[in-house]
Amino acid sequence: MRQKKLEQAKENIPRSQYHHGDLRAHLIETVRILVEEKGADGFSISEAARRAGVSSAAPYKHFGDRAEIVREVAMAGIGRMRDQMDEAAKAATGDLYAPVTALGLCYANFARTEPGVFRLMFGLTKSHIDDEELQAEGEACFDIVKREVAQIMQDGTPQAEIDRRSLMLHMFVHGHAFLEIDGKHDVDLTAEQEMMLMADISRRVLRD
């Protein structure tokens, strides 16, 4: 199923001429698809250019090198995940823990939908550790978790405690997501079972 989606995505990439402002975004999307197909290290910029239908020199009008375009793919992925998490939390209904449960499900679903980009987001080379913009994007995702945790905790709960419990949730869901995309789960969870799992961990971590 995922392979079929990737093939459809490739077919949807136009091979026409681009306006100057469109080529950059088009190349980022092309590289995103290549990351899903071959991994972050499995393709060249010249291959991306061919796939995008442009000359091998065209990408360098917008990106300094391969690392820069890969970074932009990661940045865009973090932005998509942040927006999806925010929407999922705000749309959640049910009990007190529903928004946090929704965040966990959203995070895992993003990993399953875009496993290549998900790995890229958390596996960038050491040279990106001091990338303040990239770090800020990641923190924006975690801020959504802390926002929803704060809504559940009692008034007056110290920020350090909110941060601690948010981290506990993130560690669980992050590990679950990687186990899922790496095929390391011993049990193939149904959607309902996964929702129950996320709801259970939310209550266990956040209940006083």
Side-chain angles (χ1 to χ4, degrees), residues 7-187:
E7 291 173 355
Q8 290 173 341
K10 286 190 289 184
E11 292 173 357
N12 290 334
I13 298 177
R15 297 298 197 271
S16 58
Q17 296 294 319
Y18 301 98
H19 296 295
H20 181 75
D22 297 334
L23 179 55
R24 186 177 189 279
H26 179 68
L27 285 167
I28 291 172
E29 175 61 12
T30 300
V31 171
R32 182 192 69 79
I33 294 171
L34 285 168
V35 167
E36 293 299 339
E37 291 178 357
K38 302 184 176 185
D41 299 321
F43 64 92
S44 65
I45 288 298
S46 60
E47 181 180 4
R50 288 195 302 272
R51 179 73 65 85
V54 299
S55 71
S56 59
Y60 297 101
K61 296 178 181 179
H62 298 275
F63 306 98
D65 54 23
R66 185 183 186 284
E68 185 176 342
I69 191 170
V70 170
R71 172 191 179 275
E72 291 303 314
V73 171
M75 285 281 289
I78 296 172
R80 286 192 300 278
M81 187 171 74
R82 180 197 62 232
D83 291 345
Q84 291 172 21
M85 289 173 63
D86 189 44
E87 291 173 7
K90 290 178 177 177
T93 58
D95 63 19
L96 179 65
Y97 304 96
V100 173
T101 299
L103 285 176
L105 291 170
C106 180
Y107 194 93
N109 283 331
F110 184 90
R112 282 189 291 265
T113 303
E114 301 190 43
V117 172
F118 187 77
R119 289 189 177 95
L120 175 64
M121 287 159 45
F122 295 100
L124 291 178
T125 60
K126 187 176 181 180
S127 62
H128 290 87
I129 292 176
D130 296 325
D131 188 326
E132 293 183 0
E133 186 180 11
L134 198 63
Q135 296 298 323
E137 285 292 304
E139 285 298 322
C141 290
F142 192 47
D143 284 345
I144 295 172
V145 180
K146 292 191 287 187
R147 180 191 74 196
E148 298 303 328
V149 169
Q151 293 295 317
I152 295 173
M153 303 297 290
Q154 293 182 357
D155 290 342
T157 300
Q159 185 62 47
E161 182 62 12
I162 292 172
D163 293 348
R164 186 181 75 86
R165 299 204 192 194
S166 298
L167 179 60
M168 291 170 66
L169 289 167
H170 180 252
M171 291 172 69
F172 176 87
V173 176
H174 186 71
H176 167 69
F178 265 106
L179 288 171
E180 276 281 297
I181 64 176
D182 288 341
K184 298 295 179 64
H185 268 318
D186 292 333
V187 179

